[in-house]
Amino acid sequence: MNGKGMVATLDAVIFVTVLAVASMMLFTAVPHDGPEGPDASGICDSVSRITLSSELIAEGSGDRPMNVWDMCAVSIVSGDTGFVEDYLGGVIGDILTDRYGYVMKVEYRGTVLEFGEGRGNPVSECMRDIDTVGGIVSVSLTVYG
């Protein structure tokens, strides 16, 4: 094989590898619909992997990476619950693509936030207690079909 053929083969191998990695990332990042609808547990897993900059909720805090549940706890303690409702509501709405309804409850230190619109019949539910830096955040997600 000449030099051009080896470069073309190497380019093809790299391209296929990149496609395989991208496909695996999509497969694990987006919860798949089951026979009756999306899996609420898979959605909670996907949301739990989100890390954001602390600057989003605490200006001047430095650009520290924070888990989404830690950010929810800070948001609730500060009284600025818009982050929880707007950000998480947007993420879950994007995952469910407005095809399914949902209701999410996030509780931290006695404050309960509930958002989303449950329409249809419940098809999946997930309840979790998540350990954060400041304590436990309790999360409940019900998906409706």
Side-chain angles (χ1 to χ4, degrees):
M1 191 178 287
N2 65 18
K4 288 182 182 178
M6 287 178 62
V7 170
T9 302
L10 184 58
D11 283 346
V13 169
I14 291 171
F15 179 74
V16 170
T17 303
V18 168
L19 283 179
V21 169
S23 297
M24 287 188 309
M25 287 173 58
L26 283 173
F27 183 76
T28 59
V30 178
H32 297 285
D33 290 358
E36 299 201 10
D39 175 34
S41 182
I43 293 170
C44 284
D45 289 343
S46 292
V47 171
S48 292
R49 288 190 288 267
I50 296 173
T51 301
L52 301 165
S53 170
S54 60
E55 283 285 328
L56 290 174
I57 58 168
E59 198 171 311
S61 65
D63 190 21
R64 296 182 182 164
M66 289 180 70
N67 178 276
V68 70
W69 302 119
D70 287 312
M71 293 187 87
C72 287
V74 170
S75 179
I76 290 170
V77 167
S78 72
D80 181 14
T81 59
F83 170 81
V84 178
E85 297 165 346
D86 296 340
Y87 181 78
L88 284 182
V91 168
I92 294 169
D94 287 347
I95 291 172
L96 295 174
T97 63
D98 294 328
R99 186 172 163 206
Y100 298 93
Y102 74 91
V103 171
M104 178 168 250
K105 294 178 188 174
V106 178
E107 180 179 357
Y108 182 70
R109 294 187 179 178
T111 300
V112 179
L113 301 177
E114 184 174 322
F115 54 94
E117 180 185 339
R119 59 181 189 263
N121 297 317
V123 295
S124 183
E125 187 172 22
C126 172
M127 291 187 283
R128 300 230 172 114
D129 287 334
I130 300 155
D131 193 18
T132 67
V133 173
I136 301 293
V137 172
S138 296
V139 176
S140 169
L141 174 63
T142 305
V143 177
Y144 296 84

